[in-house]
Amino acid sequence: MPHQDHAASRRSRLTDVLGIDVPVVLGPFGGVSSVALTAAVSAGGGLGSYGLYGYDGAAILKTAAQLRAATAKPFALNLWVPTGSETTELPRTEFDSYVRALQPYFDELGLELPEMPARFMADYGEQVEATLEAAPAVVSFVFGVPAPEIVDEAHRRGIKVAGTATTVEEALALEAGGVDAVVASGMESGGHRVSFLRPAEESLVGTFSLVPQVADAVSIPVIAAGGIADRRGFAAALALGADGVQVGTAFLATSESAAAPAYRELLHSPAAGNTVLTRALSGRLARGIPNRVTSELAPPAIAPFPVQNWLTGRFRPTAAAAGNTDLMSLWAGQSARLVRHQGAADVLAELLAGA
């Protein structure tokens, strides 16, 4: 039997469409993405992804330049589509009430209470313009279908477009919107539940159920996400009809990620086996390891998104620097107990052993 190149044996519709060597995509982390981790996954033949939440145009262009300096391989930049549910204005009295609910955390860290900003999140139009100018190999979107003119302009520039679905209906909407590949994100996934057609609480479909249904419903490549952390998850995703996998938590726990050391240590501990869905840290439903913030905060003390995300973002970096995991966002998927490796290359090798 003639020798077959190891990478070639793992080629799929996904690798052909995205121009990568192996069908593994790094989950984009809003806030804890790093150039080092993105470049490491791309260098290993997968698609490194970098989450741009909170970045203005200048920061996006700077990040893309840093990524190009770190790797000549394809990488993806990720954007959040506005859903229309975002709170852009808030009465000062309401803002002050939400600040008071968080005051014990600011006091504990020795921080002054924040003043109300002119805006709570970056301008999406500016983000899109800069991302298209940066011209990554792939631009991926969460929380919705990118506008037709964005998809058309990306394609005109030779950029592939990926979207993320938590239901079959969302996957169909993304395909109709012209994306080149769809991530089928099961409820096991760490981080935000990126539902957009129905409330996140009504879109909690598990990976094992979601992936084959999406694979049957659409004709574009399907990327399975949620609960995939080792070779068994990779093999199962392919058996379910996926063309590749997206992995977050296992890569987030590596030394190349921007997660604080205390956060990475927690991901390698038994505590990572318990995750909850919470709105406490951002105002949107997200899966993570429970801590004091998730256990102490409850409506009506939780501000709507993006206000809550902005407010907790005033103390989370200080908590991370101090190693105080009680006051951080600890996003993690349900397979965090399977995390074993400290390096991105080792995680990639473990996943590909399932091919």
Side-chain angles (χ1 to χ4, degrees), residues 8-349:
S9 68
R10 293 166 177 152
R11 296 203 67 78
S12 67
R13 288 194 307 160
L14 183 69
T15 56
D16 291 339
V17 167
L18 301 186
I20 53 180
D21 297 322
V22 295
V24 176
V25 177
L26 170 65
F29 309 124
V32 285
S33 283
S34 77
V35 170
L37 179 56
T38 303
V41 174
S42 290
L47 183 70
S49 303
Y50 195 105
L52 298 175
Y53 181 82
Y55 282 45
D56 62 15
I60 289 172
L61 292 173
K62 180 181 178 181
T63 299
Q66 292 172 335
L67 285 166
R68 285 207 166 84
T71 180
K73 295 283 193 172
F75 60 84
L77 296 178
N78 175 264
L79 294 172
W80 291 31
V81 178
T83 65
S85 66
E86 294 82 4
T87 296
T88 56
E89 295 181 4
L90 199 68
R92 182 58 187 254
T93 53
E94 285 190 39
F95 177 82
D96 289 343
S97 71
Y98 291 129
V99 170
R100 284 194 297 273
L102 299 174
Q103 183 168 352
Y105 309 134
F106 285 99
D107 291 347
E108 180 175 333
L109 295 168
L111 297 172
E112 294 185 2
L113 297 181
E115 294 293 329
M116 189 160 69
R119 62 190 312 162
F120 292 102
M121 61 190 301
D123 181 75
Y124 177 66
E126 179 183 336
Q127 289 184 313
V128 168
E129 183 178 349
T131 300
L132 293 176
E133 181 181 342
V138 180
V139 57
S140 62
F141 294 87
V142 292
F143 285 110
V145 182
E149 58 270 22
I150 296 174
V151 175
D152 290 344
E153 181 60 19
H155 288 159
R156 190 185 72 79
R157 294 173 182 246
I159 305 169
K160 298 297 184 180
V161 180
T164 307
T166 64
T167 64
V168 172
E169 292 75 19
E170 289 177 352
L172 289 167
L174 285 161
E175 182 178 41
V179 305
D180 301 290
V182 61
V183 178
S185 177
M187 67 175 182
E188 298 91 333
S189 299
H192 286 89
R193 301 306 305 136
V194 295
S195 307
F196 58 90
L197 289 183
R198 295 196 301 272
E201 289 87 348
E202 298 174 16
S203 307
L204 297 176
V205 186
T207 305
F208 200 84
S209 177
L210 180 64
V211 171
Q213 292 183 62
V214 171
D216 284 353
V218 302
S219 59
I220 55 177
V222 175
I223 304 165
I228 300 166
D230 61 15
R231 66 187 68 189
R232 293 170 294 182
F234 186 101
L238 298 182
L240 292 171
D243 298 278
V245 297
Q246 178 173 287
V247 176
T249 306
F251 282 118
L252 186 61
T254 65
S255 59
E256 292 97 335
S257 93
Y263 183 2
R264 296 201 305 269
E265 184 177 340
L266 201 59
L267 288 173
H268 284 278
S269 76
N274 177 29
T275 63
V276 296
L277 287 167
T278 179
R279 293 181 181 270
L281 286 146
S282 74
R284 276 184 174 169
L285 198 67
R287 182 177 298 283
I289 301 168
N291 60 9
R292 268 179 50 209
V293 176
T294 64
S295 63
E296 292 176 354
L297 287 184
I302 299 173
F305 178 86
V307 180
Q308 186 74 0
N309 196 56
W310 185 90
L311 284 171
T312 65
R314 301 314 99 192
F315 65 74
R316 286 184 276 117
T318 302
N324 185 344
T325 56
D326 267 332
L327 304 184
M328 296 162 55
S329 50
L330 303 170
W331 307 138
Q334 287 188 324
S335 289
R337 277 187 183 272
L338 301 177
V339 167
R340 297 285 185 271
H341 303 289
Q342 300 286 349
D346 292 330
V347 173
L348 197 56

